[in-house]
Amino acid sequence: MKKTSFWRLLGFMGAILVLLTACGKQNSAAKSSSSSAPVKITYWHRMTGSYDKALNKLITKFNQSQKKYKVVATSQGSYNALQQKIMAAGKSKTLPTMAQSPYTNIGDYVKNKLLLPFDPEMLDGSDKLSSSQLKDIYPSFLAAGKYQGKYYGLPFSVSTSVLFYNKRLMSQYNISMPKTWTDFSADQDKLKGTDINAVELDQSYDVPLEGMAYGAGSQLITPKLKANLNAPKTLAAVNQILDLRKSGALKTAGEDQYFSVPFANGKAVFGIGSSATVPVLLQQAPKNLEWGTAVIPEYEGKRSNPLNGNYNVLFKGASKAQQDGAWAFQKFLLKSENAAQWAEDSGYVPVTKSASNSAGFKNYLKTHEQYKAAVSAVPQSFASTVFAGYTDYRNDLMSAVDSTLTKNVSGETAFDQLQKETEKILKANQ
């Protein structure tokens, strides 16, 4: 009996050993599988339609180029929706790894302790940018994402403002390319008796105004946070726009929101707007519309171009692995071939000099001449001053502009009030 029990016990222990060995192998395989899974990089953006398709093409290319990270993108549909979602996620601590954002939002995001700077990876990491790679990024583009001495935003979808022109209308009414803003008045004289305006702007004139004021030496908000919203040179630019509108030479888009709608319908000889409108017109304008682009006219002898578009930002809460992955994706986007591809697919400006000068992009411009002016405008581009409270300031700016357009409030009255409100915002956020 004892001998039989011994062998039974030995057999039982052997079975347990086999079972434990099998479990160990399964656990080891599971751990191996888990460790080999790519780090997930969640990415929120505002691209829709063809822009969303173009972005997903780049994301797929990145994901297939390596196995360490996987970018998973979600479109929020619009800048406003994206910003609201980010602020709500900040409160609930459900932020993505990274997102697109207008660079002017950076100050408010930093104040709310939402962002991490790219500096550790970009400037000091093992995969940092070299000196030549840093210099390859257009200086004004790189500067726009820098706040309080750190790079909280890096350029991706950057646009400049350009002048759109209707070739047929220019020929029909003997109108030349405008060199200055005052030329629009003379152009309108040739359009008397028609329902055509010399120039159409978007619903608001805030972007052209910022460029005009900057060129005249009256930056709306200076880097030292001095507001020049009711300064004489700023008011002169405001009144230039309003006088052109009163004479009928200039029209704002109103319910259409963007100048591209009346321009595409032949209701304006010229339009001023974002270079990102180029692909919109290429896709949606009537086939018989003959149009092109040029640099915007001078104001006070200068052409100044405020940057628009969105930057990529990195959020707190991201693990070290996710931070590394976000940087790997951003660095991928900065590569010449990818920056050029995005510019070709989206209408935004290449963010690096090498992308603009690449053989592929130059060949692209030969068959898509409408994009040339956007790149030509880069040397005149500048970044708006980033500060905490910018969102409130911009809302007040849009209200001031709207009051002059829809309520016949004078430029002096509207911008005097805006100056007071902005000084309060700047003081409260210092």
Coordinates of all heavy atoms in Angstrom, one line a residue, residues 61 76 139 188 254 279 339 399 422:
K61 N 0.7 55.7 -43.3 CA 2.1 55.6 -43.7 C 3.1 55.5 -42.5 O 4.0 54.7 -42.5 CB 2.5 56.8 -44.6 CG 3.9 56.8 -45.2 CD 4.1 58.0 -46.1 CE 5.5 58.0 -46.6 NZ 5.8 59.2 -47.5
Q76 N -12.7 65.8 -34.6 CA -13.7 66.4 -33.8 C -14.6 67.4 -34.6 O -15.5 68.0 -34.1 CB -13.0 67.2 -32.7 CG -12.1 66.3 -31.8 CD -12.9 65.2 -31.1 OE1 -14.1 65.2 -30.9 NE2 -12.2 64.1 -30.8
P139 N 11.5 79.8 -39.9 CA 11.6 80.4 -38.5 C 10.3 80.9 -37.9 O 10.1 80.7 -36.7 CB 12.6 81.6 -38.8 CG 13.4 81.1 -40.0 CD 12.4 80.3 -40.8
Q188 N -13.2 99.3 -58.4 CA -14.7 99.4 -58.3 C -15.3 100.4 -59.2 O -16.4 100.2 -59.7 CB -15.1 99.7 -56.8 CG -16.5 99.5 -56.5 CD -16.9 98.0 -56.7 OE1 -16.2 97.1 -56.4 NE2 -18.2 97.8 -57.2
G254 N -20.5 87.6 -45.0 CA -21.8 87.5 -44.3 C -22.2 86.1 -44.0 O -21.4 85.3 -43.5
P279 N -7.5 74.2 -52.3 CA -8.1 72.9 -52.7 C -9.6 73.0 -52.7 O -10.2 72.2 -53.4 CB -7.5 71.9 -51.7 CG -7.1 72.8 -50.5 CD -6.7 74.1 -51.1
A339 N 6.1 66.3 -45.4 CA 5.7 67.7 -45.3 C 5.2 68.1 -46.7 O 4.2 68.9 -46.9 CB 6.8 68.6 -44.8
S399 N -16.2 90.2 -31.8 CA -17.4 91.0 -31.5 C -17.2 92.5 -31.9 O -18.2 93.1 -32.5 CB -17.7 91.0 -30.0 OG -18.0 89.7 -29.6
T422 N -9.3 94.3 -23.6 CA -8.0 93.5 -23.7 C -7.0 93.8 -22.6 O -6.3 92.9 -22.1 CB -7.4 93.8 -25.1 OG1 -8.4 93.5 -26.1 CG2 -6.2 92.9 -25.3

